[in-house]
Amino acid sequence: MQKVKEHYVPQFYLNKFVNENGLLHIYDLRQKKFYTQKPKNVCFKKNLYETEWRNANPKLGKYVLVNNIENEFCRYESEFAILLQKIIAICTSEQNPNALILYGKEKEVLFRFVVNLMVRNPLNMDSLALSEMPEKIKNSDEMALFRDVMCKMGLGGADSIYLAAQKNVMLTDEIEGSFPQEYSQYLKKFCFTFFYASNSEFITSDIPVCLGNDCTISDEDKTCLYLVLSPKIAVLFGNYNMLQIHKNRMIKIESEIVDLFNIQIVKHHNYINMLIGTSRELIEKYV
């Protein structure tokens, strides 16, 4: 059965931010209004990852490999959800600040989770033009030959097959050398530190990963990446000198520092549509 509502922010992630009634508090940045909603009813788009058959035999149906990408994401999510639960359980106020948080394969899973959140949203897909074929490919002799072969087979839809494959390579790590695989390897070079909000809470958004450059990083690569994991836990990637001794460890931070992190979320207002938190009062502090 086809899944129509395809979530670009996983429900297991959003469930970490619900209130006692199982609802998210949301501030819509476009309409400038607050509302509450269940995780299953936000951060999705109908048929987001699907590729329609065009100029193809009607017997092939409406979509190429229907739900293929969505099913791949669901396969990852059970692994991601288990790791997230472990991180939240370990990073508590009683945590030994010198203790490592993740070991071995767990770090790989964290990297894949971060990249998965980065690539799967509509904004990223639009910026990568995943529903468009590059002119160089569209007008190539190879593509012309592929179209001819597919037509002779009575199938057609050669361009649709190319676009579906393009989405697979850019969004999933199903294929060797895919973008998610390459970027996960790239993250290995960065120091990452977990932060515990001792007397406040983090907010998140419909695009949870904040990616940018920080001129205060002394390293040649000034990339930094910030992701809230729960109302109490966040992780920061970046080769900051002061955080080197806290790599893969947890630091307790006070509300003033939490405020600075939350403000960074709001600063991405040109890219995000909603702020998400456990209470309206929390979000109101920043809007």
Side-chain angles (χ1 to χ4, degrees):
M1 183 177 177
Q2 183 193 349
K3 300 172 186 173
V4 177
K5 290 171 66 171
E6 296 181 329
H7 286 81
Y8 51 89
V9 181
Q11 292 182 67
F12 78 82
Y13 173 81
L14 292 171
N15 281 330
K16 304 301 178 190
F17 298 88
V18 298
N19 63 13
E20 63 277 7
N21 298 315
L23 298 173
L24 299 166
H25 285 267
I26 297 168
Y27 180 71
D28 188 311
L29 287 157
R30 303 291 174 259
Q31 299 184 41
K32 300 188 185 308
K33 69 176 185 180
F34 285 94
Y35 63 97
T36 57
Q37 189 54 269
K38 294 180 179 179
K40 68 178 182 179
N41 294 327
V42 297
C43 299
F44 74 88
K45 190 172 180 180
K46 291 184 178 179
N47 302 312
L48 175 61
Y49 307 117
E50 306 307 322
T51 302
E52 284 194 47
W53 282 112
R54 293 179 183 174
N55 302 316
N57 189 323
K59 292 182 180 180
L60 293 173
K62 187 172 183 179
Y63 299 109
V64 181
L65 293 175
V66 64
N67 283 149
N68 179 62
I69 292 175
E70 176 74 1
N71 290 337
E72 279 299 307
F73 288 162
C74 289
R75 183 171 62 83
Y76 308 155
E77 285 176 9
S78 59
E79 189 177 39
F80 295 158
I82 292 170
L83 181 73
L84 181 57
Q85 198 59 38
K86 177 189 173 178
I87 293 171
I88 293 170
I90 292 176
C91 293
T92 66
S93 58
E94 291 77 32
Q95 171 68 26
N96 177 354
N98 296 316
L100 294 175
I101 306 299
L102 302 179
Y103 293 87
K105 186 186 174 184
E106 292 173 338
K107 289 184 279 188
E108 301 279 347
V109 177
L110 174 65
F111 300 155
R112 288 177 57 223
F113 176 46
V114 171
V115 175
N116 181 258
L117 284 178
M118 286 174 60
V119 301
R120 67 191 288 178
N121 63 75
L123 179 70
N124 176 69
M125 293 176 66
D126 287 345
S127 67
L128 293 173
L130 296 186
S131 296
E132 300 173 18
M133 187 183 296
E135 289 298 320
K136 184 178 180 180
I137 300 294
K138 185 187 294 185
N139 301 319
S140 67
D141 293 339
E142 292 81 3
M143 199 66 211
L145 178 61
F146 184 40
R147 292 188 187 105
D148 186 51
V149 170
M150 293 298 290
C151 286
K152 287 179 178 177
M153 292 173 64
L155 299 173
D159 289 22
S160 297
I161 292 175
Y162 177 89
L163 291 173
Q166 180 173 256
K167 286 181 184 177
N168 244 307
V169 170
M170 296 304 293
L171 298 179
T172 78
D173 57 12
E174 185 179 5
I175 299 170
E176 191 67 33
S178 66
F179 176 79
Q181 282 190 9
E182 294 296 319
Y183 206 88
S184 292
Q185 292 300 310
Y186 174 64
L187 284 181
K188 285 184 178 181
K189 64 186 282 189
F190 295 105
C191 169
F192 64 94
T193 304
F194 297 93
F195 295 92
Y196 174 81
S198 56
N199 51 15
S200 185
E201 288 189 355
F202 296 106
I203 62 171
T204 187
S205 76
D206 57 321
I207 300 183
V209 178
C210 294
L211 178 66
N213 290 288
D214 191 336
C215 62
T216 66
I217 297 175
S218 58
D219 193 69
E220 183 179 340
D221 190 337
K222 299 187 180 300
T223 301
C224 60
L225 187 152
Y226 168 66
L227 169 64
V228 173
L229 298 174
S230 80
K232 302 298 286 186
I233 310 294
V235 61
L236 176 67
F237 288 78
N239 292 327
Y240 295 90
N241 284 338
M242 68 181 72
L243 293 180
Q244 293 297 329
I245 61 172
H246 301 290
K247 183 176 182 179
N248 192 16
R249 290 173 170 82
M250 187 271 288
I251 302 175
K252 286 187 250 182
I253 57 175
E254 299 299 321
S255 58
E256 294 80 3
I257 306 300
V258 176
D259 287 343
L260 293 176
F261 279 118
N262 285 342
I263 288 167
Q264 290 305 312
I265 297 279
V266 180
K267 282 184 176 179
H268 282 69
H269 63 85
N270 290 329
Y271 307 103
I272 63 179
N273 293 310
M274 59 180 71
L275 300 174
I276 300 169
T278 58
S279 72
R280 173 170 175 161
E281 292 73 26
L282 174 65
I283 301 173
E284 281 181 332
K285 287 177 62 178
Y286 308 103
V287 298

